[in-house]
Amino acid sequence: MKIKILGTAAAEGFPAMFCECDTCRKARRLGGRNIRTRSGAVIDEKLLIDFGPDTLHHTIYNGLDLTKVTDLLITHSHRDHLYPLDFENRKDGYCVMKNKKPLNIYGTVASINEIKGIYKGNTGVEKELKLNVIEPFKTYKIGEYTVIPLKANHSPKTDPVIYIIQKSGKTFLYSTDTGCYFPETVDFLKNWAGYVDAIAIDCTAILLKNWREHHMGLDTDIEQIEQLKSVGIMDENTKVFLHHFSHNGGAVYDDLVPIAAKYGFFVAYDGMEINL
């Protein structure tokens, strides 16, 4: 399983577009991995996670080839994770794709309704998309992958989920946007006969303390990882990648790397590749 992290920022980007705080100034000055676009990932060039407003950027600068993507998982309906207006660009006349087939999109009710609300009656777009409603704690076979959505602790109206993704004996847990896991999610994982090889975990708050609802920071990530180890789905060999960062958290990539390393964590950056 080859995972490419396409973007690693929270909704406002990093540096934030209208911001002149010290952290944004530092990110602009340093450049490189300190510059972050809105979050997303792709697996084996086929399975895309989220379709945010920076997807075009990812096709130009991060090697995302949307002509190879067959399936799309949506975590929730917030605009930095789902920007459905750009599905218009898949229509004939906007693009040329050989052997084009509908894009299979999987999401909870709120995400699917968001897409339907924009394109209802627009037959040109409707024929490009195959919309599939999924539910937390159910197992789905999507292409080569076994996918299990889990209930996320985030804005309830967005019907948010995180994803277990499995292929060829390897498991990746994509865990953003979420605060500390709900009891029902922990209970599911406790009874799930699986092992996570790598996790990308929400670290929106970075160095801010005690963020438990909607998002997490480094301190609550440490707690969450320990809980997941205690229920038996992770151990010291599981690779932990901090992901989804806000400039409000007070640390750029260069600042966070040595701090995260103390706990054995990696810091995700735009364009990072993870091989499982």
Side-chain angles (χ1 to χ4, degrees):
M1 191 187 301
K2 182 178 178 180
I3 303 153
K4 190 164 192 176
I5 305 295
L6 300 168
T8 53
E12 67 272 25
F14 197 154
M17 359 179 14
F18 294 102
C19 189
E20 56 179 4
C21 74
D22 290 344
T23 308
C24 286
R25 288 180 182 273
K26 186 172 185 178
R28 291 188 184 100
R29 184 176 74 252
L30 293 175
R33 293 178 180 179
N34 300 286
I35 303 298
R36 303 181 181 279
T37 57
R38 269 69 69 92
S39 66
V42 65
I43 300 177
D44 299 326
E45 299 187 284
K46 301 174 186 176
L47 180 64
L48 185 63
I49 306 174
D50 283 340
F51 188 82
D54 290 333
T55 303
L56 174 61
H57 175 99
H58 299 154
T59 67
I60 297 170
Y61 296 105
N62 288 336
L64 173 63
D65 185 348
L66 287 175
T67 68
K68 295 180 180 179
V69 172
T70 55
D71 301 283
L72 168 61
L73 305 178
I74 302 296
T75 57
H76 63 298
S77 60
H78 276 159
R79 61 177 174 81
D80 55 320
H81 295 262
L82 177 60
Y83 189 74
L85 291 173
D86 274 346
F87 289 130
E88 179 88 15
N89 296 318
R90 207 174 188 273
K91 287 170 54 176
D92 293 340
Y94 287 95
C95 72
V96 176
M97 289 176 63
K98 296 178 181 178
N99 304 313
K100 184 165 64 168
K101 297 179 181 178
L103 176 64
N104 299 303
I105 301 177
Y106 300 84
T108 53
V109 171
S111 295
I112 298 303
N113 284 347
E114 181 77 11
I115 300 169
K116 287 181 176 179
I118 291 175
Y119 290 117
K120 185 177 182 180
N122 185 336
T123 56
V125 176
E126 286 178 343
K127 74 175 185 178
E128 299 291 342
L129 311 175
K130 185 177 180 182
L131 304 179
N132 303 274
V133 174
I134 57 173
E135 298 178 32
F137 310 121
K138 292 189 175 181
T139 301
Y140 298 87
K141 187 67 176 176
I142 298 176
E144 303 174 56
Y145 307 91
T146 299
V147 176
I148 307 173
L150 307 174
K151 189 175 181 181
N153 178 359
H154 195 56
S155 174
K157 68 180 181 180
T158 67
D159 211 5
V161 291
I162 57 180
Y163 287 103
I164 293 172
I165 302 168
Q166 298 176 298
K167 177 192 169 190
S168 303
K170 296 294 183 180
T171 300
F172 177 52
L173 176 52
Y174 191 80
S175 180
T176 183
D177 295 11
T178 185
C180 297
Y181 290 7
F182 287 132
E184 56 262 51
T185 297
V186 176
D187 287 343
F188 177 90
L189 293 171
K190 187 183 298 184
N191 296 312
W192 172 63
Y195 171 80
V196 172
D197 296 282
I199 180 173
I201 189 168
D202 187 289
C203 193
T204 303
I206 312 181
L207 301 181
L208 299 177
K209 302 295 185 181
N210 206 34
W211 278 43
R212 298 181 176 277
E213 304 297 325
H214 304 289
H215 292 289
M216 290 183 280
L218 178 60
D219 63 334
T220 40
D221 282 344
I222 293 167
E223 291 182 21
Q224 187 61 73
I225 293 299
E226 288 305 311
Q227 184 183 43
L228 296 177
K229 288 179 179 177
S230 74
V231 301
I233 71 162
M234 293 182 187
D235 58 25
E236 297 304 319
N237 294 315
T238 300
K239 296 179 180 178
V240 177
F241 298 89
L242 307 181
H243 184 27
H244 196 279
F245 305 98
S246 170
H247 65 110
N248 294 310
V252 299
Y253 175 88
D254 289 356
D255 298 327
L256 187 56
V257 166
I259 299 171
K262 296 176 183 178
Y263 305 95
F265 298 165
F266 301 96
V267 180
Y269 57 86
D270 289 20
M272 173 183 260
E273 294 186 359
I274 303 166
N275 292 295
L276 299 181

